[in-house]
Amino acid sequence: MKNIVTSPLANLWGVMLLGIVFLAATAHAATEAPVRVKDLGKLQGWRENALVGYGVVTGLAGTGDAPTNRSTKQALANVFSQFNMTIAPEQVQSRNVAVVMVTAALPTFAREGDTVDVTVTSAGDARSLVGGTLLLTPLKAPNGRIYALAQGPLSVGGYRYDANGNVVQKNHPTVGAIPAGATVEVGTDANMVDARQNITFVLSEPDYTTANRVANAINAQLGAALAEARDASGIQINIPEAQRGHAVRFFSRVENVTVEPDRRAKVVINERTGTVVTGGDVRLAKVAISHGDLKISIVTDHTASQPMFVGYGYNPGVRTAIVTNSRVDVEERNSPAFVAATNNTVADLVQALAQMKTNTRDIISILRAVKAAGALHAELVVQ
């Protein structure tokens, strides 16, 4: 009986090549399909506002905070005081209650009566929030003003049950959510226009070439010199006097302007999944690649040692023994893989290596070496 173990660094020519998801653009950056301006960024002032609150979850089946938790006692006593019930915190004894932190994000444009999702997290030593209900909780912004009120039953995507020292748990039962659980009490309205009747469009990925193209596209498609690129991320746009009473209509026209963005050469490698992704037409300089192969095998033989005269009563202590013999075999190929890349793309290189049955780990190592040699004209990102 033989067991063969191969080193993970070996090039397994007899095993199916690990899958590589290789996504490459076949056209040059200049022939990229036009995209809308709104897909490249957003107007300055478009942002969400963080809200946070401190509340109490009730209705837990003995999985709440411990009776010795002073913050829970005080919080529950405060709740009772709102209903003209005076109870000292020391008299509160319950494991069906938990103190929690409540968070939400207020949209850029919110009206009174709108609802937003909230996230509830345990702030004490509760074991689980399953089955709990959040009591009315005010949500405040960093300026201390209350903008929303949250309340409702929790939706927890997990559980925890324990008995006699045995614990069964799935996901995080101390975190829950309430879809549309907060009602906006104070609306918000973002101011996109400055004192000079200008708006600023901000690119998600700053790039001087793309910013210049966006400004030129807006001027060409709107028929006036309205836009100017101020830096790599900001394009200042002046609102025409005739459009200032119809700002929404003008914003819509700007968002739907089409432009051909410039793509920065980038190669992304994910070692965990064996994925190689390249953006744009990433090319290679003249480079020669030689990659050897080393195979290490550990062979184990199991044999039975059968002594003479077993069973005849001459020596009751004599037994059959299993003897294990192992040996290490190292095999190195004399003809290493050789690839000559002359003004090719990364896609061409990966396809050539795949045809030579090079595994994923070796392809990633080769791309790193090519980058170190200065032949890969792109940013190499390893995840």
Side-chain angles (χ1 to χ4, degrees):
M1 180 169 54
K2 296 183 178 181
N3 296 327
I4 299 179
V5 181
T6 305
S7 168
L9 299 178
N11 190 0
L12 306 181
W13 298 89
V15 181
M16 181 180 295
L17 182 66
L18 294 176
I20 297 179
V21 180
F22 191 87
L23 306 176
T26 57
H28 292 281
T31 60
E32 290 281 352
V35 299
R36 297 178 303 175
V37 167
K38 68 184 303 180
D39 298 327
L40 298 177
K42 60 184 179 181
L43 293 177
Q44 183 174 336
W46 189 287
R47 50 164 292 177
E48 291 186 340
N49 303 278
L51 302 179
V52 65
Y54 180 86
V56 176
V57 171
T58 60
L60 304 177
T63 60
D65 294 336
T68 56
N69 194 317
R70 299 179 62 182
S71 61
T72 305
K73 292 182 178 182
Q74 184 65 56
L76 195 56
N78 294 341
V79 172
F80 290 149
S81 66
Q82 301 298 320
F83 302 96
N84 299 324
M85 296 179 61
T86 303
I87 298 178
E90 294 77 12
Q91 297 177 346
V92 177
Q93 299 290 333
S94 176
R95 288 227 59 161
N96 298 335
V97 181
V99 292
V100 294
M101 300 301 297
V102 185
T103 58
L106 194 64
T108 306
F109 296 95
R111 301 286 190 272
E112 295 181 7
D114 292 348
T115 57
V116 295
D117 299 339
V118 299
T119 301
V120 181
T121 59
S122 174
D125 56 355
R127 297 193 300 266
S128 175
L129 298 179
V130 174
T133 299
L134 176 69
L135 300 183
L136 190 63
T137 302
L139 302 180
K140 299 181 179 181
N143 58 6
R145 187 177 181 183
I146 298 175
Y147 283 87
L149 298 176
Q151 181 174 274
L154 271 67
S155 174
V156 180
Y159 56 81
R160 175 190 169 95
Y161 302 103
D162 58 281
N164 300 325
N166 299 319
V167 179
V168 178
Q169 179 175 331
K170 179 182 180 181
N171 297 336
H172 297 278
T174 54
V175 178
I178 308 177
T183 303
V184 177
E185 299 296 329
V186 179
T188 58
D189 188 7
N191 186 16
M192 305 292 183
V193 184
D194 62 13
R196 298 183 179 181
Q197 298 299 310
N198 295 327
I199 59 175
T200 302
F201 185 83
V202 181
L203 296 176
S204 300
E205 297 183 1
D207 184 85
Y208 284 108
T209 302
T210 301
N212 184 60
R213 290 182 181 179
V214 169
N216 293 337
I218 292 175
N219 293 333
Q221 298 182 35
L222 296 186
L226 304 175
E228 181 181 358
R230 291 298 184 181
D231 49 44
S233 63
I235 300 96
Q236 182 176 294
I237 307 170
N238 179 259
I239 303 177
E241 186 174 355
Q243 300 288 337
R244 292 175 184 177
H246 308 280
V248 175
R249 185 185 306 171
F250 179 75
F251 293 165
S252 177
R253 293 182 61 189
V254 171
E255 287 182 340
N256 287 279
V257 171
T258 57
V259 64
E260 295 179 359
D262 189 55
R263 303 291 185 184
R264 178 175 298 179
K266 183 180 295 186
V267 177
V268 181
I269 296 175
N270 192 316
E271 289 187 313
R272 296 186 300 273
T273 60
T275 303
V276 180
V277 180
T278 176
D281 190 15
V282 181
R283 309 196 69 85
L284 299 173
K286 295 182 179 180
V287 61
I289 302 170
S290 178
H291 191 72
D293 180 51
L294 180 66
K295 182 177 181 180
I296 303 174
S297 299
I298 302 175
V299 181
T300 303
D301 296 328
H302 300 283
T303 59
S305 176
Q306 181 67 46
M308 298 292 292
F309 307 112
V310 173
Y312 291 96
Y314 293 100
N315 190 345
V318 177
R319 296 289 187 274
T320 300
I322 301 299
V323 180
T324 301
N325 297 316
S326 299
R327 69 177 185 273
V328 179
D329 297 334
V330 179
E331 178 184 354
E332 184 174 5
R333 297 182 182 271
N334 296 325
S335 55
F338 180 84
V339 178
T342 306
N343 199 26
N344 293 328
T345 64
V346 175
D348 299 331
L349 174 61
V350 173
Q351 290 176 1
L353 294 174
Q355 292 176 358
M356 299 173 60
K357 299 181 180 179
T358 307
N359 62 34
T360 308
R361 291 181 181 272
D362 290 340
I363 291 178
I364 293 175
S365 299
I366 290 173
L367 289 176
R368 283 179 165 179
V370 172
K371 175 64 176 179
L376 177 60
H377 303 306
E379 180 184 358
L380 189 62
V381 180
V382 180
Q383 297 180 342

